[in-house]
Amino acid sequence: MNINIGIEENDRKAIAQGLATLLADTYTLYLKTHNYHWNVTGPMFQTLHLLFETQYTELSAAVDLIAERIRALGEFAPGSYKEFAKLTSIQEADGIPTAVDMIKDLVKGQEALARTARSIVPVADKASDEPTLDLLTQRMQVHEKNAWMLRSLLG
């Protein structure tokens, strides 16, 4: 069925492709944050265990919002580790890092998500895709705040 929401097909596809990358980055950071939540040790255990849980819970909700926006644009959302691995800009960790290295790694991940979201803004703006722009603004705010909170733990 033809989609007529006021956004040209080529723009919808370009926006959806950008959102697919954002989805892959979000899911990858979700998995990494959940892993760190399970495996963090040391004197900051309780603080980090709870902070990581707060952040992975938010990331879990975000993947649904991003995937649903891709579907509303008429495209299919990626949904497998194989697809995410091809799309994501976030590197998986080898082994179990120290608590401080976990924090540093998650800062990089949060910043990467902010950059990925920001990179989609010009395409969505050109197409007057306000729902996607709203989603991107919200994602940038969350990831910039999370990165700040994590950096603050490092002193």
Side-chain angles (χ1 to χ4, degrees):
M1 181 171 191
N2 190 27
I3 297 173
N4 184 9
I5 58 173
I7 302 172
E8 297 296 323
E9 181 179 1
N10 59 333
D11 290 333
R12 283 189 293 104
K13 288 182 181 299
I15 294 164
Q17 184 57 46
L19 290 172
T21 300
L22 183 63
L23 179 61
D25 281 355
T26 303
Y27 199 90
T28 303
L29 187 61
Y30 159 79
L31 184 60
K32 181 182 281 193
T33 306
H34 212 151
N35 175 28
Y36 291 172
H37 164 79
W38 289 326
N39 292 300
V40 67
T41 60
M44 293 192 295
F45 169 79
Q46 185 66 18
T47 299
L48 294 179
H49 186 73
L50 293 174
L51 179 61
F52 295 168
E53 181 176 12
T54 299
Q55 290 186 357
Y56 81 67
T57 299
E58 195 285 328
L59 289 162
S60 176
V63 295
D64 201 47
L65 295 172
I66 298 164
E68 287 176 355
R69 184 64 195 149
I70 293 169
R71 293 297 296 131
L73 291 168
E75 299 297 318
F76 288 103
S80 70
Y81 290 123
K82 184 177 181 178
E83 289 175 294
F84 291 154
K86 286 192 295 188
L87 292 168
T88 190
S89 66
I90 296 174
Q91 299 297 310
E92 289 197 49
D94 292 324
I96 304 298
T98 66
V100 169
D101 287 339
M102 287 178 180
I103 295 167
K104 290 176 181 176
D105 193 27
L106 293 178
V107 167
K108 289 179 188 174
Q110 293 287 345
E111 289 175 346
L113 276 166
R115 288 190 307 273
T116 298
R118 188 166 275 108
S119 74
I120 305 164
V121 168
V123 181
D125 190 41
K126 177 181 142 297
S128 298
D129 182 359
E130 285 82 5
T132 297
L133 289 168
D134 183 52
L135 175 66
L136 295 172
T137 299
Q138 290 175 37
R139 299 313 312 149
M140 287 183 287
Q141 287 175 334
V142 166
H143 299 302
E144 289 173 7
K145 182 178 180 180
N146 285 346
W148 158 63
M149 292 184 138
L150 290 162
R151 279 192 306 271
S152 295
L153 290 167
L154 299 171

